């Protein structure tokens, strides 16, 4: 079978970086048509630079990287340096990237690519705020039909929130964009905190990355070391959740994830609960299902997939 065509929309971030490495290490299954970058964990200039650092680390400087929206549709940008450090990729010292960023805007690339590729042949993988994707859908509604699926990291139900008591970071940063995506009618698979908080690094899992002895393996271990300190302190957990790699792992081995096809609506008006993903997990309304909302994964299998693929870089 030919590899599945994907566009990865991202705001790196250490966990985005691991997701990108996983995708770039899996050319038999995934053809990365482009990496579109959005402001989120840190401002756009840094997320673009970080995307290039990761592509170079993967040994794939030919990857097409596009800069996208530098702020949410209708709100001020909220960033997460408190989690990811001031560069967004704090931890190990990284070389300055030299690969070029493409001239086109990320949104134009998404629109043009979807129009050029056969219907239903491209999967979008958003790992950050949904600003680029929503802008593309608003500007070119005809592309909705052409998307095979959107597999995204965002939201929470049982875990509620990580940036406010009620909201997960990616959805909170641009709730208007999230609403457009969740109302689009495009098949959605959602990796909320409910599942990503089970994709936890532990000492043996981080040691396994480090033991690969490769540049990529050591970087992943050092990024997770840095990224862990925040979550260990906040949640008292054994390690840190590798949120965004869940999206790519789903494309590679979907059977390791478990969820429900339910209705999910986005709160866009109340400041108190702004960006909340109101998931009808118990099916108490007759609102039609619009998303496969994940709740669990086989964490050992997830980490063994990650380690074996990172080993290939
Ligand atoms: C999400 O927010 C970001 O900090 C991470 O990269 C992930 O995409 C988790 O809430
Ligand atoms: Ca992210």
């Amino acid at each position: 079978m030919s590899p599945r065509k994907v566009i990865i929309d991202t705001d790196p971030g250490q966990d985005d970086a691991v997701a990108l490495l996983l995708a770039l290490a899996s050319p038999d299954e995934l053809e990365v048509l482009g990496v579109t970058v959005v402001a989120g964990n840190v401002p756009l200039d840094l997320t673009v630079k970080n995307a290039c650092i990761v592509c170079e680390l993967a040994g794939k400087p030919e990857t097409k990287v596009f800069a996208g929206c530098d702020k949410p549709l209708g709100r001020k940008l909220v960033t997460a340096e408190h989690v990811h450090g001031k560069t967004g990729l704090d931890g190990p010292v990284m070389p300055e990237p030299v690969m070029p960023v493409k001239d086109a805007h990320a949104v134009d690339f998404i629109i043009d690519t979807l129009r050029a590729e056969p219907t239903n042949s491209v999967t979008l993988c958003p790992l950050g705020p949904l600003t680029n994707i929503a802008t593309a859908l608003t500007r070119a509604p005809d592309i909705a039909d052409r998307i095979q699926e959107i597999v995204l990291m965002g939201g929470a139900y049982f875990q509620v929130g990580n940036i406010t008591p009620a909201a997960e970071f990616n959805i909170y940063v641009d709730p208007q964009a999230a609403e457009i995506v969740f109302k689009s009618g495009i098949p959605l698979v959602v990796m909320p905190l409910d599942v990503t908080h089970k994709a936890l690094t532990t000492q043996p899992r981080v040691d396994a990355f480090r033991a690969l002895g490769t540049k990529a393996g050591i970087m992943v271990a050092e990024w997770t070391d840095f990224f862990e300190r925040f979550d260990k302190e906040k949640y008292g957990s054994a390690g840190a959740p590798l949120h965004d790699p869940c999206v790519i792992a789903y494309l590679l081995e979907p059977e390791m994830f478990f969820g429900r096809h339910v209705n999910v609506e986005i709160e866009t008006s109340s400041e108190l609960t702004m960006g909340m993903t109101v998931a009808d997990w118990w099916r108490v309304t007759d609102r039609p299902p619009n998303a496969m909302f994940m709740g669990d994964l086989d964490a050992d299998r997830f980490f063994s997939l990650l380690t074996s693929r990172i080993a290939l870089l």
Side-chain angles (χ1 to χ4, degrees):
M1 227 169 64
S2 51
R4 184 166 176 174
K5 294 177 182 180
V6 299
I7 295 175
I8 301 179
D9 191 76
T10 178
D11 63 334
Q14 292 89 349
D15 61 321
D16 302 70
V18 179
L20 278 172
L21 291 181
L22 178 59
L24 294 172
S26 306
D28 290 346
E29 295 96 340
L30 301 178
E31 179 184 352
V32 181
L33 299 178
V35 173
T36 55
V37 186
V38 69
N41 283 322
V42 284
L44 186 68
D45 55 335
L46 291 174
T47 52
V48 170
K49 177 177 169 187
N50 293 344
C52 294
I53 289 175
V54 178
C55 293
E56 289 187 1
L57 174 64
K60 309 260 166 132
E62 68 283 6
T63 308
K64 295 181 191 163
V65 173
F66 300 85
C69 300
D70 62 358
K71 54 176 178 308
L73 298 185
R75 291 168 64 83
K76 244 179 87 208
L77 177 66
V78 174
T79 52
E81 285 86 355
H82 59 295
V83 183
H84 301 273
K86 75 178 180 331
T87 66
L89 267 190
D90 274 19
V93 180
M94 308 292 305
E96 284 293 305
V98 294
M99 64 179 274
V101 175
K102 293 285 170 193
D103 287 337
H105 192 281
V107 171
D108 294 324
F109 170 74
I110 293 170
I111 295 172
D112 294 346
T113 305
L114 287 167
R115 285 180 174 160
E117 294 288 341
T119 304
N120 279 329
S121 67
V122 179
T123 296
L124 302 184
C125 305
L127 311 176
L130 289 158
T131 321
N132 286 341
I133 310 296
T135 306
L137 288 169
T138 307
R139 207 180 285 167
D142 57 291
I143 63 173
D145 282 354
R146 312 191 66 86
I147 299 169
Q148 183 181 355
E149 197 174 32
I150 298 180
V151 184
L152 67 92
M153 191 281 137
Y157 181 66
F158 294 99
Q159 291 283 314
V160 200
N162 62 354
I163 184 76
T164 74
E168 180 279 329
F169 179 78
N170 289 342
I171 306 295
Y172 177 76
V173 172
D174 200 341
Q176 279 77 25
E179 185 179 42
I180 290 169
V181 170
F182 278 77
K183 283 194 184 313
S184 67
I186 299 163
L188 300 180
V189 177
V190 179
M191 296 291 166
L193 297 180
D194 307 330
V195 66
T196 68
H197 278 180
K198 293 172 182 159
L200 275 191
T201 57
T202 57
Q203 198 56 52
R205 288 169 178 165
V206 177
D207 289 345
F209 290 130
R210 192 172 280 110
L212 294 174
T214 58
K215 222 152 85 178
I218 293 166
M219 285 300 172
V220 170
E222 292 189 8
W223 282 331
T224 44
D225 279 346
F226 178 86
F227 188 53
E228 271 187 350
R229 91 224 174 278
F230 176 78
D231 290 271
K232 279 179 165 169
E233 205 172 292
K234 181 173 171 192
Y235 297 107
S237 54
L242 282 188
H243 306 281
D244 295 337
C246 289
V247 166
I248 309 299
Y250 174 81
L251 299 177
L252 299 173
E253 295 185 15
E255 59 287 353
M256 74 165 97
F257 293 89
F258 309 93
R260 291 187 183 191
H261 192 228
V262 295
N263 178 270
V264 182
E265 305 284 331
I266 310 295
E267 175 63 63
T268 56
S269 47
S270 151
E271 267 311 320
L272 186 64
T273 52
M274 183 63 73
M276 186 171 195
T277 44
V278 182
D280 190 4
W281 184 261
W282 301 111
R283 301 196 178 103
V284 293
T285 73
D286 52 14
R287 294 196 286 259
N290 59 345
M292 184 67 192
F293 198 81
M294 296 302 181
D296 206 355
L297 89 165
D298 180 338
D300 286 334
R301 186 166 164 188
F302 171 79
F303 277 94
S304 96
L305 172 71
L306 256 179
T307 313
S308 61
R309 293 301 167 102
I310 304 286
L312 302 174
L313 293 172

